Amino acid sequence: MTFETNIRQKTFNNFTPVNYEDKSFLSIIYANVDSGLLNKKDELLLLINEKNPDLMLFNEILPKRKRSKKKLSSNDFKLDGYDFNISSTTEGRGVIIYFKTCICVQSVEFLNHDNFEESVWLNIKLKGTDNLLVGNVYRSPSSSKDNNILLNLMLQKAMDLNTSHVLIVGDFNYGSLNWELQQSTEAFDQCSSLFMEKVKDLFLYQHVMDYTRHRTGQSPSRLDLIFSNEANMVSELDYMPPLGASDHACLNFNFTCYTDFKKSDEPRPNFFKGNYADMRVDISETDWDSISANDLNTYWENFLSIINTMVNDHVPMIRPSRKAKKQTWLNSDAIAACTEKKRAYKKWKFCKNERNWQLYAESRNKA
């Protein structure tokens, strides 16, 4: 195995995932969490316990700077059982994709480094030769004309990859678009109209058919969108209550595809419990000159052999669980509070319609 292959596959401790199980869909949660994810982490953990999603995509995960002076790092966003790709922990509003550790994922670097602000892209290995391109996009309502053009160009680049499956979600902040008629209420040369034309040119299917943002004193709008490159790929779309005090609905849906999941009971090194003090002693006593070689691949194999031996000696193995750990605070009171929030949200959505409100009031009076 060459040096480049080892780096790409991250094959350490002779651990290479080989056992897989089939799954016919991915369970996905998407939301614009509005002004920070970390202050909503407890509610997010409860949602994970309830829905057990494979992917979670969130926008506006960073707090507004006037509200927080804390400097964040990637460690602040860690969740048990999930890895993640994040746009930035310091710049912009923040975009993130969480994915279960049992999913085979590659970052799509040329899209992640695109000039559009801001998005995150990754590629998921599916069954056989199929792949799923996943993009999470946040377009600010104050986005410049140039940035709007870059968004359309980025979507074109994504579709030019000719990936077998495509899923693009995000808060695009185009409230003037009518997706039933597939047209904009603005002039043909405006950014919303150009975006709609680009979506149609790329033959993307848009699956969100209800309002996703509700704020008191403002008309509801459909800003959060879900696109795929095939019809009927998105099913069981559920409009759930927002996370925390966000004014955007949380969207839960299934994406139809056959995946290869690494079995969660496959043993792997538990690096969090490694004996690194003894490992440092072994490293200091190693004769590194003895592994030198003229050929780079041979040198790498010799180096890897020593490192793997040390990992075997000082890092215990573990069989990780795919399901997130139940939180200690997840008691009957917490569950009841979240249940009441869902009930109130559904009642509020129902009663926004004046006729529905009259029917609801009449039923209350009869009771």
Side-chain angles (χ1 to χ4, degrees), residues 50-177:
E50 178 186 356
K51 299 296 184 180
N52 192 28
D54 300 309
L55 296 179
M56 296 185 294
L57 306 96
F58 299 120
N59 290 339
E60 292 200 62
I61 63 171
L62 301 181
K64 291 182 179 178
R65 291 293 170 252
K66 64 182 180 181
R67 298 181 182 177
S68 173
K69 295 182 180 179
K70 180 184 176 182
K71 188 174 181 180
L72 300 177
S73 70
S74 295
N75 288 333
D76 293 308
F77 294 92
K78 286 184 176 179
L79 291 174
D80 285 342
Y82 292 87
D83 290 328
F84 62 89
N85 276 16
I86 191 170
S87 59
S88 173
T89 60
T90 57
E91 301 295 332
R93 300 310 309 276
V95 180
I96 195 168
I97 301 178
Y98 285 102
F99 51 91
K100 281 187 175 178
T101 54
C102 57
I103 299 178
C104 298
V105 166
Q106 286 184 328
S107 177
V108 186
E109 293 301 326
F110 89 99
L111 289 177
N112 287 330
H113 294 143
D114 193 84
N115 291 326
F116 170 76
E117 299 176 356
E118 34 189 323
S119 67
V120 170
W121 299 82
L122 54 82
N123 192 51
I124 297 177
K125 183 186 181 303
L126 302 179
K127 187 99 172 162
T129 59
D130 286 351
N131 290 278
L132 169 61
L133 176 66
V134 179
N136 187 12
V137 177
Y138 175 72
R139 173 191 167 274
S140 169
S142 60
S143 178
S144 67
K145 181 178 179 180
D146 288 343
N147 198 51
N148 296 334
I149 294 173
L150 288 172
L151 170 59
N152 295 346
L153 291 175
M154 182 179 67
L155 294 179
Q156 182 69 62
K157 294 176 187 176
M159 298 306 295
D160 285 345
L161 291 173
N162 292 321
T163 311
S164 59
H165 296 70
V166 175
L167 174 66
I168 303 172
V169 305
D171 181 359
F172 293 85
N173 278 299
Y174 281 130
S176 61
L177 297 179

Side-chain angles (χ1 to χ4, degrees), residues 113-266:
H113 294 143
D114 193 84
N115 291 326
F116 170 76
E117 299 176 356
E118 34 189 323
S119 67
V120 170
W121 299 82
L122 54 82
N123 192 51
I124 297 177
K125 183 186 181 303
L126 302 179
K127 187 99 172 162
T129 59
D130 286 351
N131 290 278
L132 169 61
L133 176 66
V134 179
N136 187 12
V137 177
Y138 175 72
R139 173 191 167 274
S140 169
S142 60
S143 178
S144 67
K145 181 178 179 180
D146 288 343
N147 198 51
N148 296 334
I149 294 173
L150 288 172
L151 170 59
N152 295 346
L153 291 175
M154 182 179 67
L155 294 179
Q156 182 69 62
K157 294 176 187 176
M159 298 306 295
D160 285 345
L161 291 173
N162 292 321
T163 311
S164 59
H165 296 70
V166 175
L167 174 66
I168 303 172
V169 305
D171 181 359
F172 293 85
N173 278 299
Y174 281 130
S176 61
L177 297 179
N178 185 319
W179 289 100
E180 286 72 27
L181 299 177
Q182 293 199 342
Q183 63 185 27
S184 172
T185 58
E186 297 182 327
F188 72 93
D189 60 344
Q190 296 300 302
C191 59
S192 61
S193 298
L194 296 175
F195 176 77
M196 177 63 81
E197 291 305 310
K198 174 57 67 174
V199 167
K200 290 192 284 188
D201 289 344
L202 296 176
F203 299 99
L204 289 171
Y205 296 85
Q206 204 288 114
H207 300 273
V208 178
M209 294 300 157
D210 198 357
Y211 297 127
T212 62
R213 181 180 181 269
H214 306 270
R215 176 171 287 186
T216 303
Q218 297 182 11
S219 299
S221 52
R222 185 176 1 179
L223 306 181
D224 305 282
L225 307 173
I226 300 173
F227 295 102
S228 71
N229 63 330
E230 296 181 52
N232 304 318
M233 298 301 291
V234 172
S235 63
E236 300 184 34
L237 176 57
D238 184 18
Y239 301 80
M240 300 191 302
L243 278 176
S246 172
D247 53 8
H248 290 255
C250 193
L251 305 181
N252 181 210
F253 60 95
N254 292 337
F255 187 85
T256 303
C257 59
Y258 285 93
T259 62
D260 280 346
F261 274 19
K262 294 177 285 187
K263 288 188 176 179
S264 60
D265 60 352
E266 184 179 355

Side-chain angles (χ1 to χ4, degrees), residues 290-316:
S290 64
I291 70 169
S292 62
N294 294 327
D295 178 68
L296 179 61
N297 287 329
T298 303
Y299 190 96
W300 168 251
E301 289 171 0
N302 293 338
F303 173 80
L304 188 63
S305 176
I306 292 176
I307 295 299
N308 282 336
T309 299
M310 292 183 182
V311 171
N312 280 324
D313 291 343
H314 303 296
V315 178

